[in-house]
Amino acid sequence: MSTTNINTTAKAKGFPLPSSLKVVPGTEQAQAAYPYYIQFTKEDDERFWFYNSMHFPEPMCLFDMITAEAAYAALGSANTRIHCLPTTLGIDCRIINGRVYIGGNAVTDPVEIQRRTEEFKRRAFYYYANWERLFAHWKDKMMSLIRSAEALPKLDLPEFEPLEHVHAGRGVASNHYILETYQKTIEGYFQMWHYHFEFLLLGYGAYLTFFDFCRKAFPEISEQTVARMVAGFEAEIFRPDDELRRLAKCAIELGVDQQFGPGRSPEQIIKSLKQSGAPGLAWLNELARSRDPWFNINVGDGFYHYHRSWNDDLSMPFAALPGYIENALKGQRLERQTDRLMAERKQLIADYRELLETEEERAAYDQMIELAHRVFPYVEGHKFYCEHWYTNLFFNKIREFGALLAQHGFFPDAEDVFHLSHYELEASLIDLMISWSNGSLPRGPAYWPAIVRERQAAIAEWAKHDTPPALGPVPDIIDDPAIVMLWGITRENLDTWLKAGEQPNSNEIRGVAASSGVVEGMARVVKSAEEIDRLRHGDILVCQVTNPTWAPVFQKIAAAVSDIGGSMSHAAIVAREYGLPAVVGTGTATQKIKDGQRIRVDGGRGVVTLLD
């Protein structure tokens, strides 16, 4: 079998080599703390890598790298071992200066591709034929995993083992359950990512097959037009925003809408509602209905410990309510216009079907679009259960371990635990278990504080430095469905990124035409979820990436531009669902566009023009 990451041309122009990137001076120890298996080596210069700013737009704290380790271990297993995708295996990841780079592993040997194709048919086609049944089973499995995470015991190291444990003859002391609970926490997280990828690549594959058919049958068709043929679907990831719109209506109907004035904290609003009598209490009951489970959604994409859920921090949903209330009072429709999208989808499908010349082509077209419609809701819907609900439970459990260690002097703040690797955290817990068992002092309080401060300083320093969007030789072809559809990494886009570097004075930035429409306005460059509140009505959002949990800000903005993303990225999907122009996969927008600059976004052509 012959495998490479992506087929490349030996003399093709490329991006900087991984070996040309240097660790920021003064942060060498923090860089060395990342596991050896995700450090760049000289051999990596021969491969193509791109910066995964879609999922990791900010430097990664050491513990948070478990999200990449668990995710790519599961993705590769789904591709390579379970469904046997014919031309692509898994994804490798590396980290430098806190920035995560990834590269695909392609299968290039025709004999091996054919062998894997036969395996793929036996496996994937069974999933396609039984999609609804298997997906229902998936939800049961996922909810069972969530309930198991919720049921993990609280952490306790009492001075003396409770007498009832002794009388019951339990025979195991409390320190053992610290280790058992930690290992179950880590194991559950790795298992969640296997569930995450069980259907995902098959969903992308079904859509990509339909897209390839359309591109051959209708040479003039755009990616965006094909994407609109699957728009207007219902998925759980949109439900939190739907609940906010419902709560806005409830506030008006109950006559408590004036409570949601600007500048008031969630705590102040809730206190005022409690004091306002029956209408306020009725609204709070509606809030409780929405919070379980729909506020188990993170303000980010679930890959950073500090991207807290709405349930943990009500700031983001409460900040969105005044805008929804104002729009409702003006008589504007609050719901996503899925009926319009579905009507448009139906018309597009019919119009292009008529252009096919034979009944055989029409039958194939019908079969492929039907499958795409069946599988596509999962492509976004799974995120609510996996990246958001479960991941939030996971990070909050890690916080409990951090609180336990902080209580025993390992570091000042429970949040400091995220500057340890998951291996170091287990070692620290064992240190505490030993000291508790024999009455001695743990070693951690003398060991960790200085290291944590050093790593905190490194994260802050790395955030000041930009990193190249890609590394290594430019590939000839890219055929991994996830890399193409989710990240928008195509051969054409890479050429655009390279040309952008050659034309620093150009007033145009090109990317993927994600959602049609032309808008001019002021750019608001947002580089993290914490900066979302800087957006004002009519701004054009410019970011490395968005995700569906940012949906409340789409009531404010006029358009969206992102560095990374393909036609099926979250930014593209959300923009189409809300009818806003969008250009994604630009590679350099957040570097080239200045905050406050006036720009024009042409979402139909995939062009952003700098007007100032």
Side-chain angles (χ1 to χ4, degrees), residues 42-55:
K42 180 63 178 176
E43 290 72 23
D44 291 328
D45 282 357
E46 301 174 6
R47 301 178 57 182
F48 171 73
W49 305 87
F50 64 93
Y51 173 36
N52 186 6
S53 61
M54 168 167 284
H55 296 125

Side-chain angles (χ1 to χ4, degrees), residues 33-35 60-69 182 185-186 189-190 303-305 391 394-399 401 415-426 455 459:
Y34 292 110
M60 293 293 288
C61 291
L62 187 55
F63 186 89
D64 292 359
M65 273 306 294
I66 194 173
T67 61
E69 296 174 37
Y182 179 70
T185 300
I186 300 298
Y189 189 65
F190 273 79
F303 294 89
Y304 293 86
H305 71 271
T391 296
F394 171 71
F395 279 134
N396 280 346
K397 196 65 184 179
I398 298 302
R399 283 187 172 86
F401 290 105
E415 294 292 301
D416 292 341
V417 72
F418 295 106
H419 290 286
L420 278 60
S421 72
H422 58 93
Y423 306 110
E424 292 171 336
L425 176 50
E426 181 169 344
R455 293 174 183 177
I459 291 289

